[in-house]
Amino acid sequence: MNVAILGVGTVGSSVVKILKKNKELIKARSGVEINPVIGFVRDLSKKRDVDIELSDDINSILKRDDIDAYVELMGGVDRPYKIVSEILKQEKPVVTANKAMLAYHRYALQNLAKNTPFGFEASVAGGIPIIKALKEGLSANKIEKIVGILNGTSNYILTNMMQNGVNFDEALTKAQNLGYAESDPSFDVDGFDAAHKLLILSSIAYSVHGDPEDILVKGIRKISSEDIFFANEFEYVIKLLAISKIEDKKVELRVHPAFINKDNILAKVDGVMNAVSVYGDALKHSMYYGPGAGGDATASAVVADLIDIAKGNKSPMLGYNTTLQNVKLLSQNDIKTKYYLRVRVEDKKGVLATIANVMSENRISIDSFLQKPRLKDEKYTTLFFTTHTSLEADIKKVIEILENMKFVLNRPFMIRIES
Ligand SMILES: NC(=O)c1ccc[n+]([C@@H]2O[C@H](COP(=O)([O-])OP(=O)(O)OC[C@H]3O[C@@H](n4cnc5c(N)ncnc54)[C@H](OP(=O)(O)O)[C@@H]3O)[C@@H](O)[C@H]2O)c1
């Protein structure tokens, strides 16, 4: 099977290397030889450490009759979508790691692919075969809930903040120095990378439609040392969670930092590692753990998809679920969970009673309260609250009211609590 590698960067180079290094083993497992015959790149003069013929002419590559399958590893959204669409129109198999393209165009691509194999295992938590698990291993289950730590960069930063007492900026710099974070880390630390992956998993699980902009996405930039202090006091760990749940044909999708109990199994997923917890009606709970990114881990999933194609596996791109349900996205305001609020206030009489009153008038019931000891001569103090299960719309209203009160210094900061 001859393969064109569209994009020979971090992942593309690893794919070429694995296909060459494990050639015999792959042939034994798939029944055919899988040969990377041409690579598509932008800059032909760039030095590369892989041995493959290169071209910067996509049209000539797409016209070649001797290519049996294409691997898209360029990144981006619209350009790869256009190229992949061209390939699917020729009914040639595609493998991609491109979560951003899939987050926006997954259903259009599925409609184009029909019975043409389309592999995207590498698009979510590269080193964890979670797509195959959802499409095949768990196919007897009605999936009820998925909770994932899907972004290694954010998890590395939060782990460092929790364990070493550093602030966000220091942890980010360390992650960048070690190559775990890009020079522009927004995509990772603002939650959109995890949101793309959550949309992909949730489409397989519940056939839900929606773009990243349609769901609740919050990042980790505003987590402060005071939140870490609170987490330690109350036996919590802070993780950037990607959560999806289905109830009454409404799918709740959200990505945000969350407090989870220290004894929650996800609390033990540290550093750049990823994990996905899946809840189904038959199996109840299973968890998958592994490296989420990196050239080789991601390429391992790409090559596994190629082996599947060589073996003739033709399962539909998003699985068999797509016409079974008519589900809708739950509105963000209707989300129900527990909340933590950090409020910086003037330390004077009546403040606490006023805040408690605002909460009660907006149907928020306080579960616990903590006041950080104030430094001598300091005018302000920080109050921490946790709530019983409440409505997102109500807590947002409380934050809005408190922000406009004279004795409140900054906009109160909220973190959701997941049990
Ligand atoms: N890196 C990871 O750990 C990881 C993990 C999971 C998923 N992914 C996904 O895998 C894909 C590839 O990621 P990567 O890290 O390998 O990216 P990368 O290192 O930036 O490589 C991208 C490759 O695509 C080529 N390319 C980009 N735009 C092009 C264009 N317009 N025309 C021609 N060639 C073009 C580049 O050519 P030049 O070399 O000439 O610049 C380069 O070879 C992305 O969708 C990413 O989200 C990556």
Side-chain angles (χ1 to χ4, degrees):
M1 186 167 93
N2 287 339
V3 179
I5 312 288
L6 310 182
V8 190
T10 307
V11 183
S13 307
S14 284
V15 168
V16 174
K17 283 184 207 157
I18 292 173
L19 284 173
K20 293 192 177 211
K21 183 169 142 259
N22 291 347
K23 190 176 175 157
E24 290 310 316
L25 182 145
I26 289 168
K27 186 178 172 189
R29 288 185 180 156
S30 64
V32 294
E33 244 178 46
I34 303 180
N35 297 313
V37 291
I38 183 86
F40 172 54
V41 293
R42 206 170 6 203
D43 180 0
L44 286 171
S45 67
K46 209 188 255 184
K47 271 215 150 131
R48 298 169 204 269
D49 61 349
V50 284
D51 177 20
I52 181 173
E53 187 189 331
L54 295 175
S55 161
D56 59 1
D57 179 2
I58 190 67
N59 293 324
S60 68
I61 297 178
L62 296 184
K63 278 188 197 135
R64 278 176 63 159
D65 292 334
D66 63 331
I67 307 285
D68 303 301
Y70 289 82
V71 178
E72 185 280 306
L73 296 169
M74 297 162 54
V77 176
D78 291 329
R79 181 151 160 82
Y81 171 55
K82 200 166 162 251
I83 293 172
V84 168
S85 300
E86 288 299 313
I87 299 166
L88 292 174
K89 281 178 197 158
Q90 295 181 37
E91 298 182 8
K92 290 207 174 163
V94 173
V95 174
T96 184
N98 190 334
K99 56 235 167 187
M101 173 180 74
L102 292 169
Y104 288 96
H105 298 299
R106 60 199 182 282
Y107 287 103
L109 288 168
Q110 170 165 268
N111 288 340
L112 273 177
K114 293 189 187 78
N115 294 322
T116 304
F118 190 117
F120 55 104
E121 184 65 69
S123 66
V124 182
I128 308 173
I130 186 65
I131 308 269
K132 207 174 177 80
L134 282 174
K135 277 172 71 173
E136 296 178 17
L138 304 177
S139 59
N141 286 263
K142 189 170 161 206
I143 304 296
E144 295 163 343
K145 181 173 164 187
I146 299 171
V147 183
I149 293 174
L150 297 177
N151 185 268
T153 307
S154 297
N155 202 43
Y156 177 84
I157 291 171
L158 288 173
T159 304
N160 241 281
M161 289 173 73
M162 294 282 326
Q163 294 179 358
N164 303 324
V166 296
N167 66 29
F168 173 82
D169 290 330
E170 290 164 329
L172 172 61
T173 304
K174 194 169 171 201
Q176 285 169 324
N177 290 342
L178 289 168
Y180 296 149
E182 307 274 339
S183 53
D184 176 3
S186 333
F187 192 55
D188 292 315
V189 302
D190 295 333
F192 277 93
D193 173 74
H196 292 170
K197 296 166 180 170
L198 184 69
L199 280 164
I200 295 169
L201 295 182
S202 305
S203 302
I204 301 167
Y206 332 104
S207 311
V208 68
H209 286 253
D211 287 342
E213 292 74 16
D214 301 330
I215 70 172
L216 192 160
V217 183
K218 302 279 173 209
I220 62 168
R221 285 184 203 262
K222 290 186 182 156
I223 306 279
S224 75
S225 56
E226 291 192 313
D227 305 321
I228 305 288
F229 159 81
F230 181 87
N232 285 326
E233 288 291 306
F234 282 77
E235 300 281 305
Y236 285 127
V237 165
I238 305 176
K239 293 287 176 194
L240 180 72
L241 294 187
I243 301 170
S244 76
K245 290 181 202 172
I246 188 163
E247 215 179 300
D248 299 332
K249 299 209 168 193
K250 288 264 175 74
V251 179
E252 178 178 333
L253 296 182
R254 48 193 168 104
V255 173
H256 53 72
F259 283 119
I260 54 175
N261 283 315
K262 274 191 175 149
D263 56 8
N264 183 320
I265 192 162
L266 285 173
K268 309 201 166 44
V269 177
D270 284 335
V272 289
M273 299 307 276
N274 281 195
V276 191
S277 266
V278 183
Y279 298 81
D281 58 350
L283 98 153
K284 306 302 178 213
H285 178 213
S286 62
M287 190 175 120
Y288 308 81
Y289 171 87
D296 286 353
T298 310
S300 150
V302 169
V303 174
D305 275 345
L306 286 172
I307 292 173
D308 251 9
I309 290 168
K311 283 174 12 188
N313 188 341
K314 284 197 164 187
S315 91
M317 179 185 157
L318 295 172
Y320 291 92
N321 223 356
T322 50
T323 53
L324 292 182
Q325 299 181 20
N326 183 19
V327 297
K328 297 240 159 7
L329 272 180
L330 183 78
S331 143
Q332 292 181 25
N333 280 339
D334 292 336
I335 290 170
K336 279 188 195 142
T337 187
K338 296 178 181 173
Y339 296 89
Y340 151 97
L341 266 192
R342 159 169 51 86
V343 196
R344 187 91 176 133
V345 294
E346 257 180 79
D347 194 9
K348 62 179 190 185
K349 222 168 123 185
V351 164
L352 187 56
T354 309
I355 295 177
N357 223 5
V358 170
M359 289 204 182
S360 153
E361 279 169 2
N362 288 281
R363 296 161 294 279
I364 303 285
S365 150
I366 296 171
D367 182 32
S368 66
F369 164 70
L370 181 75
Q371 177 166 3
K372 203 173 169 191
R374 186 167 56 94
L375 295 175
K376 199 165 167 261
D377 298 331
E378 211 182 11
K379 193 177 162 203
Y380 292 94
T381 188
T382 304
L383 309 179
F384 305 91
F385 301 88
T386 64
T387 75
H388 290 288
T389 301
S390 315
L391 200 60
E392 183 93 5
D394 290 339
I395 196 85
K396 278 191 196 159
K397 184 84 209 272
V398 164
I399 291 173
E400 214 179 281
I401 295 171
L402 293 182
E403 188 182 9
N404 290 311
M405 289 193 146
K406 266 197 181 146
F407 59 79
V408 175
L409 187 60
N410 303 315
R411 183 176 168 81
F413 182 64
M414 173 251 278
I415 299 181
R416 295 161 188 84
I417 303 172
E418 291 302 310
S419 40

